[in-house]
Amino acid sequence: MSTSITRRTTAAALGLTAALVLAACGNPSDGGTTEVAAASGDTVKINLSPDQNRVTTGKVDAIAAEVPEEIRKRGTLEIVDSSGSAAPLTFFATDNKTVIGVEPDIAHLVADVLGLKPHINTVSWENIFVGLDSAKYDVGFSNITVTEERKEKYDFATYREDNLGFEAKKGSGLKITGPADVAGRTVAVNSGTNQEKLLVEWSKENEKAGRKPVDIKYYQNDSDTYLALQSGRIDLYLGPNPTAAYHAATTGKTEVVGTYSGAGAGLQGLIAATTKKDSGLAKPLADALNHVIENGTYAKVLQRWGLSDEAVTTSAINPPGLPKTDK
């Protein structure tokens, strides 16, 4: 099965379409749902309850046979994701304990194809990689971007585009199209992410051009970040575009004022299932992803979370990713 991927690149990789673009509203009387408008203009009702009725698919024996014997005998796929609540990627349902979102949905589809029972382990961001390194977990489905640095330790099977979003207080008047627009600005970002790498690079670029660097801030959780944004202690928050657009739509207090590819200029960033290097899982993961892309269940998952614009046409193993940071 082919693992090549059709890329959409631009010289600046700017002006990417927001996955969620219009107002959203919660509807607790309707089983815990929220409505968002996807980029296509259609309204998508998102189920926030623990009863997800996930999209499912059947086992494919030929692909399941590719899974390393130890995992096949165990019968479970140990999946790891981040504990940070980041709708619509990974977050908690209305019972505050069931993990839902596009990431666990795709992970469940892959497990279906492989004939394995999905077991989701929710940990802090840094412990995703600690657990993969120690083989405690088989695969990470947690909005993990392919980067050249990560490829030294991990194998990747791509399944979604990676677009970043600059979120500002509503009515800020800001518009972010490049490094000069954040010169001297106070910007929050999560540590250890590709967003941080890009922001650091932009800050260095500003200094080289004689502009002010970016004042980069880090917060323990999203609630602290958004409090800082509303109080004016920070100007911007740089994170995954789907979460920024979803937050802006559901709260009405913020807006996305600029987007950027997660792989930098000229290369479309990609999100991927992530495994320890040479674990033997990269090929069966890519083959499983290609199968659900072909049979249409992948498209149904993206559509139910309002993320159809981030679809890929095929899953690629270890494609080019965010370049290493210049020392």
Side-chain angles (χ1 to χ4, degrees):
M1 187 173 290
S2 171
T3 56
S4 63
I5 187 164
T6 301
R7 295 187 176 279
R8 299 198 297 273
T9 61
T10 64
L14 293 170
L16 299 170
T17 303
L20 303 169
V21 293
L22 299 179
C25 58
N27 188 0
S29 66
D30 193 19
T33 65
T34 193
E35 289 186 355
V36 297
S40 63
D42 297 330
T43 298
V44 178
K45 182 177 285 189
I46 292 179
N47 176 13
L48 304 178
S49 77
D51 185 11
Q52 282 291 290
N53 296 316
R54 285 189 169 97
V55 178
T56 61
T57 193
K59 178 183 178 182
V60 179
D61 290 337
I63 300 176
E66 299 172 359
V67 175
E69 184 178 5
E70 179 183 352
I71 298 174
R72 280 190 280 117
K73 285 184 176 180
R74 187 207 305 150
T76 62
L77 185 65
E78 293 297 326
I79 299 158
V80 62
D81 69 7
S82 175
S83 57
S85 185
L89 302 175
T90 302
F91 61 114
F92 292 105
T94 50
D95 64 355
N96 291 319
K97 63 180 182 180
T98 303
V99 178
I100 64 174
V102 70
E103 301 288 88
D105 272 14
I106 292 176
H108 274 74
L109 270 187
V110 168
D112 285 347
V113 175
L114 300 181
L116 299 170
K117 182 178 180 180
H119 181 216
I120 294 182
N121 303 270
T122 303
V123 302
S124 61
W125 172 257
E126 64 275 9
N127 280 322
I128 290 175
F129 301 97
V130 172
L132 290 173
D133 291 345
S134 65
K136 183 177 182 179
Y137 311 121
D138 300 319
V139 57
F141 281 89
S142 192
N143 201 56
I144 302 171
T145 303
V146 180
T147 74
E148 291 304 308
E149 184 175 355
R150 287 174 182 162
K151 279 163 65 176
E152 294 177 354
K153 294 180 66 175
Y154 308 101
D155 285 324
F156 295 94
T158 60
Y159 60 86
R160 196 164 48 76
E161 288 188 353
D162 175 32
N163 300 326
L164 310 181
F166 285 92
E167 193 173 0
K169 188 175 180 178
K170 195 165 187 177
S172 69
L174 295 174
K175 184 174 177 58
I176 309 302
T177 60
D181 298 318
V182 294
R185 296 286 182 187
T186 304
V187 185
V189 72
N190 291 328
S191 178
T193 62
N194 66 311
Q195 298 98 274
E196 180 192 29
K197 287 181 180 293
L198 284 165
L199 194 59
V200 168
E201 284 295 297
W202 278 21
S203 186
K204 290 178 180 178
E205 189 174 330
N206 281 330
E207 289 189 276
K208 288 178 183 177
R211 298 185 291 260
K212 291 182 179 180
V214 181
D215 183 8
I216 302 174
K217 299 293 186 184
Y218 301 91
Y219 293 91
Q220 285 291 101
N221 52 59
D222 285 348
S223 60
D224 291 339
T225 303
Y226 286 122
L227 183 61
L229 192 62
Q230 288 302 314
S231 67
R233 284 182 283 130
I234 60 174
D235 300 308
L236 296 156
Y237 175 31
L238 176 59
N241 185 57
T243 62
Y246 185 95
H247 180 263
T250 53
T251 66
K253 294 180 178 180
T254 62
E255 59 186 346
V256 176
V257 296
T259 56
Y260 201 80
S261 166
L267 182 65
Q268 174 60 59
L270 293 167
I271 299 299
T274 305
T275 73
K276 186 176 182 180
K277 196 152 197 71
D278 299 323
S279 68
L281 267 177
K283 187 176 187 302
L285 287 169
D287 286 348
L289 285 162
N290 279 314
H291 177 75
V292 298
I293 289 169
E294 291 166 5
N295 74 10
T297 53
Y298 164 81
K300 289 180 181 179
V301 165
L302 292 187
Q303 193 277 332
R304 79 187 292 252
W305 295 105
L307 296 176
S308 297
D309 263 19
E310 298 198 346
V312 296
T313 55
T314 56
S315 177
I317 296 175
N318 296 331
L322 177 68
K324 289 185 181 180
T325 302
D326 293 333
K327 301 289 186 180

